């Protein structure tokens, strides 16, 4: 079998047995077709299932709620302080709905970096139950931190009157009653994960985690050989915070991690919008990767990641769709198109074609970041049968000049017809086969009034904070921020 040509992919039959691809070839001969299903893939592109390498299922119900909200303000909506605890029914329903959206747009693996606050075992069980029932593959991490949000955002402490400070920390906060990662190790990491689940660790962001917590995270990741997902430099304010608080490391968070000895190859840094040149080189040197989320970065006015510089440095680049309240679509086609287009802004000089790079970021690189590159992300014998079949009897693909360019620049998800995970057809003719979709919508409708009521309360609370939020945001945008990656940096 020749190496995959993403522009003109070869015609071939794909044989699957159990959860694996066992053969690929033209006019595959099968003598005994009893007990065998044949899925007619004529007039379809067969893709490796997409890997949504950065996603949070905790705010699935908040899709379409916000616009024109900068990141620092958005956190108060997505992970609000003093949020009434969510019901198990709501957590179950939102997990099902998010997984359904991901599958219907051709994702077979999602990295769920989930905040469950306050943590309850029954909530975790509901999440696992939902994923098991839907049949999607999940790289699962709980999100944790040991520093309060208000201490990690520039100007907030001084801008807001002290009586408002309790309203500014968010639910991605230190658990006071529970050693969350110790509990996660005992109850989950030490045991084999459920089918289609693999474990990961989710320190919220380096500035929200003490050196001791980051060290503990990396030690656990090495002991259990699991990946780590964290956020870095999503907004200008996050880079500014590093400059203001890390004078010993030239104001660079990645250098802090490198000098603390925790810049591990298992790390995946979501966003990476405001990385400096030196930090990009450090990531490449340590084989740490990034996960870009262009939709959310643009919607929350964060900026554009240095795509070309990251590529030229050889940094592993995955793609994600992030939160439903900021992206808002779980749609890898949109993410790929933005990735390919924004490369033009990250370096305006024409460079290598980006469509195949976008497809690889959405498949292979995401799998590698999850430490699953030897079993996922490509179509090859021996790998897991996680496949997406896109219907080419559609204006998107007629005529077919380049499968890669038409997938990235024209397709928006309409063509996704069948999705196979672990050798099982979980979406057939655009319908979920594992769970009746109408029961998912009914479950969401049942919990939605309570969610909507609580979200309205939060919105009113944030509205009261708006004058100070605006003032702090203006200070962040006005502050000087040196960044040594011209021509798109600040300096
Ligand atoms: Zn995120």
């Amino acid at each position: 079998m020749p190496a995959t040509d993403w522009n003109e992919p070869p015609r071939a039959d794909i044989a699957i047995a159990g959860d694996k691809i066992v053969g690929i070839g033209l006019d595959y001969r099968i003598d005994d077709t009893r007990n065998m299903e044949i899925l007619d893939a004529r007039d379809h592109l067969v893709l490796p299932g997409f890997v949504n390498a950065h996603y949070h299922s905790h705010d699935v119900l908040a899709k379409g709620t916000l616009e024109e909200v900068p990141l620092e303000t958005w956190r108060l909506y997505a992970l609000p302080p003093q949020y009434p605890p969510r019901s198990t029914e709501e957590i179950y329903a939102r997990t099902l709905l998010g997984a359904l959206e991901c599958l219907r747009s051709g994702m077979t693996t999602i990295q769920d970096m989930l905040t469950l606050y306050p943590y309850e075992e029954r909530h975790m069980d509901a999440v696992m139950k939902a994923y098991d029932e839907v049949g999607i593959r999940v790289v699962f991490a709980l999100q944790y931190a040991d520093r309060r949000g208000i201490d990690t955002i520039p100007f907030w402490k001084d801008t807001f009157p002290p009586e408002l400070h309790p309203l500014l920390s968010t639910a991605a906060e230190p658990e006071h009653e529970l050693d969350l990662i110790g509990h996660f190790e005992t109850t989950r990491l030490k045991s084999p994960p459920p089918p289609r689940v693999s474990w990961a660790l989710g320190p919220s962001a380096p500035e929200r985690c003490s050196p001791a917590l980051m060290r503990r995270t990396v030690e656990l990741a090495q002991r259990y050989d699991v990946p780590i997902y964290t956020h870095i430099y999503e907004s200008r304010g996050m880079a500014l915070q590093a400059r203001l608080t890390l004078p010993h490391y030239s104001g660079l968070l990645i250098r802090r991690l490198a000098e603390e000895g925790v810049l591990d190859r298992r790390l995946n840094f979501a966003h990476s919008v405001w990385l400096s040149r030196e930090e990009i080189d450090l990531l490449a040197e340590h084989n740490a990767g990034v996960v870009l989320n262009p939709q959310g970065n643009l919607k929350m006015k964060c900026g554009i990641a240095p795509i070309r510089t990251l590529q030229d440095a050889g940094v592993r680049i995955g793609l994600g769709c992030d939160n439903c309240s900021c992206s808002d679509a779980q749609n890898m086609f949109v993410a790929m198109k933005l990735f390919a287009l924004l490369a033009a802004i990250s370096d305006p000089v024409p460079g290598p074609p980006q469509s195949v790079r976008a497809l690889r970021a959405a498949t292979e690189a995401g799998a590698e970041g999850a430490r699953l590159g030897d079993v996922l992300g490509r179509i090859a014998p021996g790998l897991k049968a996680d496949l997406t079949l896109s219907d080419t009897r559609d204006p998107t693909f007629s005529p077919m000049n380049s499968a890669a360019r038409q997938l990235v620049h024209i397709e928006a998800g309409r063509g996704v017809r069948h999705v196979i995970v672990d050798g099982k057809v979980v979406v057939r003719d655009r319908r979920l086969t594992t769970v009746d979709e109408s029961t998912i919508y009914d479950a969401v409708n049942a919990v939605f009034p309570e969610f909507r009521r609580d979200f309205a309360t939060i919105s009113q609370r944030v509205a009261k904070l708006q004058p100070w939020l605006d003032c702090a945001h203006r200070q962040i945008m006005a502050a000087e921020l040196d960044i040594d990656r011209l021509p798109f940096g600040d300096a």
Side-chain angles (χ1 to χ4, degrees):
M1 203 53 205
T4 303
D5 180 343
W6 283 91
N7 287 301
E8 290 190 48
R11 275 191 70 239
D13 298 323
I14 299 174
I16 295 170
D19 60 352
K20 289 197 175 59
I21 297 167
V22 293
I24 302 173
L26 202 56
D27 300 322
Y28 210 81
R29 274 192 56 81
I30 298 155
D31 296 326
D32 185 358
T33 56
R34 282 173 301 172
N35 303 319
M36 179 174 291
E37 180 186 359
I38 295 177
L39 194 62
D40 189 350
R42 274 175 297 191
D43 298 320
H44 288 75
L45 289 169
V46 184
L47 310 169
F50 295 127
V51 178
N52 184 356
H54 188 60
Y55 165 71
H56 306 270
S57 67
H58 47 244
D59 64 349
V60 164
L61 302 186
K63 64 179 68 168
T65 51
L66 302 168
E67 55 185 322
E68 289 298 303
V69 175
L71 177 92
E72 282 75 17
T73 303
W74 164 82
R75 293 187 72 230
L76 298 176
Y77 288 102
L79 294 167
Q82 298 153 12
Y83 201 28
R86 311 323 296 163
S87 68
T88 307
E89 291 75 17
E90 181 179 311
I91 289 168
Y92 175 66
R94 76 190 188 192
T95 310
L96 286 173
L97 181 67
L100 170 63
E101 184 182 359
C102 290
L103 280 171
R104 288 284 304 278
S105 62
M107 298 166 189
T108 51
T109 299
I110 53 177
Q111 197 284 300
D112 188 1
M113 186 178 184
L114 176 64
T115 293
L116 285 178
Y117 185 86
Y119 181 84
E120 289 194 44
E121 202 60 35
R122 65 196 169 108
H123 290 168
M124 179 76 176
D125 291 341
V127 171
M128 289 296 131
K129 179 172 182 280
Y131 283 137
D132 184 54
E133 289 172 357
V134 168
I136 199 166
R137 194 178 300 283
V138 186
V139 180
F140 183 88
L142 285 174
Q143 183 163 220
Y144 54 84
D146 63 354
R147 286 178 172 164
R148 296 185 314 153
I150 186 176
D151 296 327
T152 63
I153 298 176
F155 308 118
W156 272 29
K157 239 180 174 164
D158 296 332
T159 301
F160 290 87
E163 64 271 21
L164 296 179
H165 289 190
L167 300 178
L168 297 171
S169 285
T170 70
E173 292 289 312
E175 278 271 5
H176 297 295
E177 309 294 322
L178 178 70
D179 169 19
L180 190 59
I181 57 169
H183 181 76
F184 186 66
E185 181 190 12
T186 309
T187 57
R188 310 283 165 174
L189 274 180
K190 281 186 171 171
S191 318
R196 297 177 303 281
V197 175
S198 51
W199 302 127
L201 295 165
S204 182
E207 72 273 20
R208 295 194 280 271
C209 296
S210 64
L213 187 59
M214 286 306 294
R215 200 173 317 114
R216 192 174 172 203
T217 297
V218 172
E219 282 168 7
L220 278 178
Q222 290 170 346
R223 189 178 313 153
Y224 296 98
D225 194 20
V226 296
I228 306 166
Y229 292 85
T230 190
H231 299 89
I232 203 153
Y233 297 151
E234 184 168 0
S235 70
R236 194 176 192 279
M238 291 166 85
L240 184 64
Q241 178 71 5
R243 301 296 190 278
L244 295 173
T245 57
L246 299 173
H248 301 310
Y249 304 104
S250 308
L252 304 177
L253 267 171
I254 299 290
R255 187 194 272 193
R256 177 197 130 188
L257 298 177
E259 293 190 17
E260 287 171 356
V262 294
L263 190 53
D264 192 89
R265 64 197 159 93
R266 292 170 182 77
L267 271 158
N268 295 278
F269 291 99
H271 305 298
S272 298
V273 172
W274 293 89
L275 286 172
S276 69
R277 174 80 236 188
E278 179 184 333
E279 291 171 302
I280 292 169
D281 290 339
L282 279 169
L283 293 180
E285 188 184 316
H286 291 265
N287 288 320
V290 301
V291 180
L292 306 185
N293 302 270
Q295 301 174 77
N297 293 161
L298 293 174
K299 187 149 184 268
M300 291 195 295
K301 302 184 170 295
C302 289
I304 295 158
I307 299 169
R308 282 280 301 282
T309 314
L310 286 161
Q311 290 176 335
D312 293 347
V315 176
R316 180 181 69 243
I317 306 176
L319 266 179
C321 297
D322 209 0
N323 298 72
C324 289
S325 63
C326 75
S327 262
D328 298 345
Q330 298 306 318
N331 187 319
M332 198 58 84
F333 296 100
V334 176
M336 290 193 300
K337 181 164 183 171
L338 287 173
F339 174 92
L341 295 177
L342 292 173
I345 296 176
S346 79
D347 188 339
V349 177
Q354 291 292 338
S355 296
V356 172
R357 290 177 175 217
L359 282 157
R360 290 214 160 108
T363 53
E364 282 177 65
E368 284 164 16
R371 303 192 64 69
L372 297 170
D374 55 345
V375 290
L376 294 181
R378 290 169 292 125
I379 302 175
L383 268 64
K384 293 277 190 187
D386 284 17
L387 303 169
T388 289
L389 278 68
S390 201
D391 188 352
T392 57
R393 301 284 285 176
D394 186 279
T396 295
F397 297 106
S398 179
M400 184 74 86
N401 285 303
S402 154
R405 282 192 283 276
Q406 285 166 252
L407 277 166
V408 170
H409 288 286
I410 309 175
E411 174 64 297
R414 186 175 59 212
V416 172
R417 183 172 174 198
H418 309 303
V419 179
I420 300 171
V421 180
D422 230 20
K424 182 173 180 185
V425 181
V426 292
V427 173
R428 186 190 301 275
D429 283 322
R430 300 178 172 85
R431 301 290 293 178
L432 195 64
T433 62
T434 48
V435 178
D436 181 348
E437 287 185 21
S438 64
T439 66
I440 298 179
Y441 300 127
D442 290 346
V444 169
N445 288 339
V447 298
F448 188 53
E450 188 177 345
F451 169 83
R452 204 166 161 82
R453 190 194 63 217
D454 290 343
F455 195 83
T457 306
I458 289 156
S459 300
Q460 287 163 6
R461 195 186 295 154
V462 178
K464 285 189 191 139
L465 300 170
Q466 203 61 55
W468 295 280
L469 287 166
D470 290 344
C471 177
H473 186 64
R474 276 197 299 273
Q475 291 178 78
I476 288 172
M477 298 314 284
E480 206 168 299
L481 178 72
D482 65 295
I483 186 156
D484 59 342
R485 53 174 175 88
L486 291 169
F488 40 82
D490 258 22

